[in-house]
């Protein structure tokens, strides 16, 4: 897997920036590669370092995410079966919770994650954040920052449409590192 990050167009600086003990923010418009980057980060940790990863997905259940990752050549089946990679679905359509209750439940679940899970990915709490006030948005982001430990990183995905620009600016100041994804124009 040497220089795999280059193969996928991911800067070494960003990989190194997602270091233990930080909250990293990946933000951008819809379909700019935020989730793909998160899947790569999980794969990279599981195949290049010791430790475990947890992935909270608003789009995929465990089976669908493993299949999606395999389609991207990020095979994590063995890691799921050996409990090195846990996948949680957030925001199921049948949920009757309000957005505020869902964010509180997510915080409680995150706070109970055992230390061996060195990477926690939140992809993406945007549907809940879009439905609460800017104050509640920052409260959730700050509480996630407060949950990391010296041996753990938390990566949060934020769609630009989910939070306003002032909240994004505050979130950037709260995090250990952040990356803004952009759509690249194709040239002829």
């Amino acid at each position: 897997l040497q220089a795999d990050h280059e193969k996928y167009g991911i800067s070494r600086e960003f990989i190194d920036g997602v270091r233990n003990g930080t909250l990293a923010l990946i933000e951008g418009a819809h379909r700019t590669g935020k989730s793909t980057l998160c899947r790569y980060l999980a794969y990279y940790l599981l195949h290049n370092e010791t430790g475990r990863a947890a992935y909270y997905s608003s789009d995929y259940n465990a089976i669908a995410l493993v299949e999606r990752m395999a389609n991207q050549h990020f095979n994590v089946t063995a890691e799921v079966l050996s409990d090195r990679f846990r996948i949680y679905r957030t925001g199921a359509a049948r949920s009757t919770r309000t957005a505020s209750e869902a964010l509180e439940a997510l915080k409680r679940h995150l706070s109970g994650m055992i230390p061996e899970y060195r990477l926690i990915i939140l992809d993406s709490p945007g549907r809940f954040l879009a439905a609460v006030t800017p104050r509640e948005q920052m409260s959730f982001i700050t509480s996630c920052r407060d949950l990391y430990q010296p041996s753990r990183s938390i990566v949060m995905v934020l769609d630009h449409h989910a939070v306003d620009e002032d909240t994004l600016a505050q979130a950037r100041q709260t995090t250990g590192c952040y990356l803004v994804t952009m759509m690249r124009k194709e040239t002829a």
Side-chain angles (χ1 to χ4, degrees):
L1 296 178
Q2 186 176 17
D4 238 10
H5 62 281
E6 292 171 2
K7 177 173 139 183
Y8 296 106
I10 301 167
S11 76
R12 183 74 227 174
E13 292 79 14
F14 183 75
I15 298 289
D16 290 342
V18 181
R19 61 192 177 283
N20 290 337
T22 61
L23 170 63
L25 177 65
I26 301 174
E27 63 173 276
H30 184 62
R31 301 191 57 79
T32 56
K34 301 176 300 295
S35 295
T36 299
L37 177 57
C38 286
R39 292 188 289 266
Y40 175 77
L41 290 171
Y43 175 81
Y44 185 86
L45 173 105
L46 293 166
H47 287 88
N48 290 293
E49 300 181 23
T50 59
R52 300 173 178 186
Y55 200 110
Y56 292 80
S57 174
S58 62
D59 294 329
Y60 298 102
N61 63 28
I63 293 170
L65 184 63
V66 168
E67 289 173 355
R68 177 76 173 131
M69 290 179 75
N71 289 338
Q72 295 175 303
H73 306 288
F74 306 151
N75 190 345
V76 293
T77 303
E79 289 75 18
V80 169
L81 294 174
S82 65
D83 198 34
R84 287 191 58 228
F85 188 37
R86 290 185 182 174
I87 301 167
Y88 302 98
R89 174 77 192 268
T90 62
R94 289 183 290 260
S95 174
T96 58
R97 293 182 174 156
T98 67
S100 295
E101 291 171 333
L103 289 171
E104 285 301 316
L106 183 54
K107 284 193 289 191
R108 281 192 305 276
H109 198 270
L110 288 168
S111 68
M113 188 61 61
I114 59 174
E116 288 80 12
Y117 285 84
R118 293 187 41 216
L119 176 64
I120 296 175
I121 296 173
L122 302 174
D123 182 18
S124 155
R127 71 177 54 163
F128 303 125
L129 291 172
V132 299
T133 67
R135 175 173 276 162
E136 289 174 294
Q137 292 170 351
M138 276 312 300
S139 174
F140 177 76
I141 293 166
T142 302
S143 67
C144 288
R145 181 204 59 207
D146 294 343
L147 288 173
Y148 67 68
Q149 301 166 359
S151 63
R152 172 181 292 162
S153 296
I154 298 175
V155 176
M156 182 184 302
V157 172
L158 285 179
D159 287 320
H160 281 161
H161 74 309
V163 295
D164 65 31
E165 190 55 45
D166 289 339
T167 303
L168 280 174
Q170 289 177 354
R172 289 179 197 127
Q173 292 175 351
T174 300
T175 62
C177 81
Y178 69 91
L179 175 75
V180 178
T181 60
M182 301 174 75
M183 187 67 75
R184 182 177 12 180
K185 291 184 179 180
E186 295 296 324
T187 56

